[in-house]
């Protein structure tokens, strides 16, 4: 892990990055989750660390979960991720790349569910998980990180969904990408980002997740410089 000599643009700044899926238990051996690889989160965490930031990386159980030069905080459920993010505050920057499960099983069983003789499957009921990004975005000034950034994977009308999401979440920036099957980006290394900052939408075009991370980190550095 190479650190450039001399002062770095994010020296002295702290960042929280959430990444990966969350895992919501059904019983002690079963869970509900998703296929988030953690690639984008790792790339962003490393891009911030390389610029001098102290990065707290809060990650669900992902294939890619070990960014170099970062403090790694492993979690499983959305509730654990929320608690870990709150414990990691205060921060200058908070970036939410995690694919948080929107719902959890209302009452996970204490013992492994068994098939019954009739073959009737169990009925699961769900409750909503907290929206971690919206929670941090709506913290009172002073507790809220100066820059709160969300991600959104969308299908259909990308720009409309993304603008609504930015407003609803209350974050400063939102990076949206098109994950409809015909875009061919889901789960891969390449992605196509539309960057929203409340006023403008910028098309970043097709690029790798590492390139997205570099571009975002540069923009964060420029922005924080302007804020101070
Ligand atoms: N997010 C979060 N906590 C949640 C859900 C989402 O922090 N419980 C964050 C994600 O990490 C991401 C952003 O919110 O940065 C958008 O996530 P997304 O799933 O696209 O948004 P939702 O509000 O859950 O809407 P949707 O119905 O489209 O899933
Ligand atoms: Ca969601």
């Amino acid at each position: 892990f190479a650190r450039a000599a001399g002062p770095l643009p994010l020296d002295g700044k702290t960042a929280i990055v959430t990444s990966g899926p969350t895992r919501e238990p059904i019983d002690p051996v079963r869970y509900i989750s998703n296929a988030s690889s953690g690639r984008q989160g790792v790339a962003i965490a490393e891009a911030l660390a390389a610029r001098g930031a102290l990065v707290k990386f809060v990650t669900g159980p992902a294939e890619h979960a070990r960014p170099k030069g970062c403090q790694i905080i492993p979690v499983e459920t959305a509730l654990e991720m929320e608690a870990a993010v709150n414990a990691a505050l205060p921060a200058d920057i908070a970036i939410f790349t995690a694919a948080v499960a929107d719902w959890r099983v209302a009452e996970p069983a204490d013992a492994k569910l068994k098939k019954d003789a009739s073959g009737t499957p169990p009925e699961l009921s769900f409750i909503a998980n907290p929206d971690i990004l919206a929670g941090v975005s709506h913290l009172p000034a002073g507790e809220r990180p100066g820059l709160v950034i969300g991600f959104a994977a969308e299908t259909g009308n990308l720009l409309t969904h993304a603008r609504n999401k930015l407003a609803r979440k209350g974050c400063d920036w939102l990076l949206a990408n098109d994950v409809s099957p015909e875009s061919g980006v889901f789960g891969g290394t390449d992605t196509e980002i539309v960057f929203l900052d409340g006023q403008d939408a910028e098309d970043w075009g097709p690029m790798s997740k590492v390139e997205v991370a570099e571009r975002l980190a540069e923009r964060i550095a420029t922005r924080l410089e302007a804020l101070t």
Side-chain angles (χ1 to χ4, degrees), residues 4-22:
L8 294 169
L10 295 177
D11 271 339
K13 303 294 184 196
T14 56
I16 298 170
V17 178
T18 72
S19 188
T22 65

Side-chain angles (χ1 to χ4, degrees), residues 69-80:
C70 302
Q71 182 191 339
I72 296 163
I73 304 163
V75 298
E76 295 219 339
T77 65
L79 289 175
E80 287 170 10

